[in-house]
């Protein structure tokens, strides 16, 4: 059995769309993305009326990576 890692995501405001390596994730923050292989993932958060947030997030086996309290900036 392969050991996997997780990413914990939380945004202000909540309910942004989450894209992992350009694929839409079915849940919205706050959420935990589980069963990820050790790698670097491209995370994009998008919410109408706010600038998108993007970052490369490393994931390690058997560890949780926290990307929390992400402040989304209004477009105007």
């Amino acid at each position: 059995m392969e050991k996997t890692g997780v990413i914990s995501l939380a945004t202000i405001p909540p309910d942004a769309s989450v894209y992992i390596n350009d694929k839409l994730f079915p849940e919205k923050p706050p959420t935990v993305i589980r069963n990820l292989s050790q790698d670097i993932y491209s995370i994009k958060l998008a919410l109408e009326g706010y600038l998108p947030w993007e970052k490369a997030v490393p994931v390690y086996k058997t560890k949780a990576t926290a990307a929390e309290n992400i402040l989304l900036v209004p477009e105007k």
Side-chain angles (χ1 to χ4, degrees):
M1 183 191 279
E2 181 183 350
K3 296 185 183 227
T4 60
V6 301
I7 297 174
S8 175
L9 285 175
T11 60
I12 303 169
D15 297 326
S17 294
V18 178
Y19 296 86
I20 303 168
N21 294 341
D22 296 321
K23 293 182 182 174
L24 182 62
F25 184 70
E27 297 179 31
K28 296 187 178 206
T31 189
V32 176
I33 304 164
R34 302 178 188 283
N35 299 321
L36 296 170
S37 300
Q38 182 170 313
D39 204 346
I40 296 175
Y41 292 84
S42 171
I43 305 294
K44 179 180 177 182
L45 303 170
L47 183 62
E48 187 174 334
Y50 292 84
L51 297 173
W53 180 93
E54 291 186 66
K55 187 171 183 180
V57 177
V59 171
Y60 303 98
K61 293 178 185 177
T62 69
K63 292 189 179 183
T65 301
E68 299 178 340
N69 297 320
I70 299 167
L71 180 61
L72 299 177
V73 178
E75 289 179 338
K76 298 181 185 205

